[in-house]
Amino acid sequence: MTTGFFWDEKCFWHTGGNYAARFPTGGLVQPMVAGGLPETPESKRRLKNLLDVTGIIHELDARSAPAATDDDLARVHPQSYLDKFREMSQNGGGEIGLRAPFAQDGYDIATLSAGLAKGALQAVLKGEMQNAYSLSRPPGHHCLPDFPNGFCLLANIAIAIKAALAGGHCKRVAVVDWDVHHGNGTEAIFYDRADVLTISLHQDRNYPLDTGAATDRGEGAGEGFNMNIPLPAGAGHATYLEAMERLVTPALRAFAPDVIIIACGYDPAIDDPLGRMLCTADTFRQMTAQMMAAADDLCGGKLVVVHEGGYSESYVPFCGHAVLEQMSGSSITAPDPLAEAYVIRQPNAAMQAVFSRVIGELEGLFF
């Protein structure tokens, strides 16, 4: 079976204005020539372009998917929020929450983004594909049921999961979120549930500032089914792989999911403007390999990757290509043009020992 690649040109048309990076314009904040949030279409469009240029796209099952339905959305978001979002979208756009602006037709594009995630998950669960990648935009892992934030307007992964559970396509789902920011929205939606394991590796105290603590383990029936792995800034390639091996993989084995979903943000990359984690394209390749091995052992290889953050327009394409090379087993490569320079910039042995101790402390807390 092939690797699926779910994308749609319309998702590149989502936009929001009146920002200079993360700062609302006005006062002493001058508008930028290429204004707007760091979450622009270019990192995603350039990833798709790189897949076309190398030719790997022809080895993937590339397709779009229908937008998420009203029923899909209502399983996660209250109707009052959806009605307000739709109305504002039809009247030129605006901003409902925090750092989540949208323009005319933003609602329709957001439902399409969620639909791509749903389509990828459904295709894998039905056995149409071994694994699949959803190039969703706008992203979704920060979106709470009634409060969009952090560039996220709908909870894409949660919408896909609840649709799959409601349709009887699976019973237990694990989400591994390696975006540099805490996956607060996904966590909140499933915090009291035992059938969805949520794991978030993130830079400690980046965004949001009030969520993501290692001691937040779920509540009620969901106690023990939420795992936060806050890593110190500068942790780098080896620390991420160590955290995956010592913390994430054992948690997945204990949970035994029917499918693994990766909330795939590329903002832990070394040159990302919103993170300080020093990861490389090879980091994402090797983490993908670790998750594929876990999926092979636990759930027949069923793995879905949903695109989240990542704001380096030049580097995200190489990170994403590495992930898709690994997922598909393709021999077509897009070598990291700065691999040698980025390896030199990794933490030294003394700092690596510090990061390993942090992982050891988390290991003691979780297991």
Side-chain angles (χ1 to χ4, degrees):
M1 290 186 290
T2 59
T3 292
F5 182 74
F6 287 74
W7 77 287
D8 196 291
E9 170 66 27
K10 193 66 176 177
C11 285
F12 301 148
W13 294 22
H14 164 64
T15 186
N18 301 320
Y19 280 90
R22 288 169 289 172
F23 305 103
T25 55
L28 298 178
V29 180
Q30 178 182 345
M32 299 170 67
V33 174
L37 295 167
E39 201 291 299
T40 72
E42 285 310 293
S43 60
K44 289 79 177 174
R45 190 189 301 276
R46 287 167 64 97
L47 169 55
K48 172 59 169 55
N49 290 346
L50 184 60
L51 302 178
D52 290 342
V53 169
T54 65
I56 196 175
I57 192 70
H58 302 299
E59 298 184 3
L60 309 175
D61 186 346
R63 61 173 80 173
S64 185
T69 67
D70 290 346
D71 286 344
D72 295 331
L73 303 179
R75 294 188 188 98
V76 174
H77 299 287
Q79 196 60 47
S80 57
Y81 168 64
L82 297 172
D83 289 344
K84 184 176 181 181
F85 184 7
R86 183 189 289 109
E87 181 182 2
M88 290 178 66
S89 172
Q90 293 170 346
N91 290 284
E95 183 166 4
I96 305 176
L98 175 66
R99 305 294 188 270
F102 55 94
Q104 183 82 23
D105 301 326
Y107 180 87
D108 295 330
I109 297 174
T111 61
L112 176 56
S113 180
L116 294 177
K118 175 190 171 184
L121 180 57
Q122 297 271 352
V124 170
L125 289 173
K126 292 177 180 179
E128 298 171 9
M129 303 168 177
Q130 180 64 50
N131 54 44
Y133 189 108
S134 174
L135 189 59
S136 292
R137 179 176 184 269
H141 74 142
H142 291 310
C143 190
L144 300 166
D146 60 352
F147 185 74
N149 66 102
F151 317 149
C152 301
L153 289 159
L154 293 172
N156 299 330
I157 288 175
I159 289 166
I161 290 173
K162 288 199 172 186
L165 292 171
H169 302 299
C170 59
K171 295 181 178 179
R172 296 167 70 80
V173 181
V175 181
V176 178
D177 187 332
W178 63 47
D179 190 282
V180 82
H181 307 107
H182 176 235
N184 61 304
T186 313
E187 173 187 277
I189 291 164
F190 297 109
Y191 202 63
D192 60 354
R193 295 182 62 149
D195 54 353
V196 180
L197 172 67
T198 49
I199 302 174
S200 176
L201 296 86
H202 49 269
Q203 181 183 326
D204 190 21
R205 290 177 288 181
N206 186 326
Y207 181 89
L209 298 178
D210 57 348
T211 65
T215 51
D216 294 341
R217 301 285 284 132
E219 64 183 10
E223 186 172 355
F225 294 96
N226 184 74
M227 174 184 284
N228 287 321
I229 305 172
L231 298 173
H237 172 86
T239 302
Y240 267 78
L241 298 185
E242 184 178 356
M244 296 289 285
E245 179 182 355
R246 295 176 62 183
L247 303 176
V248 176
T249 298
L252 292 174
R253 292 190 184 282
F255 182 70
D258 298 325
V259 61
I260 298 171
I261 302 176
I262 299 172
C264 183
Y266 296 111
D267 33 16
I270 189 167
D271 62 351
D272 195 275
L274 300 188
R276 301 292 181 268
M277 296 308 278
L278 304 181
C279 291
T280 70
D282 191 50
T283 312
F284 298 104
R285 182 198 311 278
Q286 293 198 41
M287 289 196 297
T288 301
Q290 289 175 309
M291 292 298 93
M292 290 177 69
D296 285 343
D297 289 344
L298 300 171
C299 50
K302 294 182 178 65
L303 180 74
V304 176
V305 177
V306 179
H307 198 110
E308 293 286 354
Y311 309 101
S312 171
E313 295 177 8
S314 60
Y315 198 53
V316 163
F318 292 96
C319 298
H321 201 286
V323 167
L324 282 158
E325 288 171 34
Q326 189 66 43
M327 291 178 68
S328 64
S330 177
S331 61
I332 297 175
T333 63
D336 182 349
L338 292 175
E340 184 176 348
Y342 288 169
V343 167
I344 294 171
R345 287 168 169 80
Q346 293 300 305
N348 61 29
M351 286 307 302
Q352 195 59 59
V354 172
F355 297 140
S356 291
R357 286 199 295 273
V358 170
I359 292 174
E361 292 170 0
L362 292 170
E363 195 174 34
L365 175 65
F366 297 144
F367 308 118

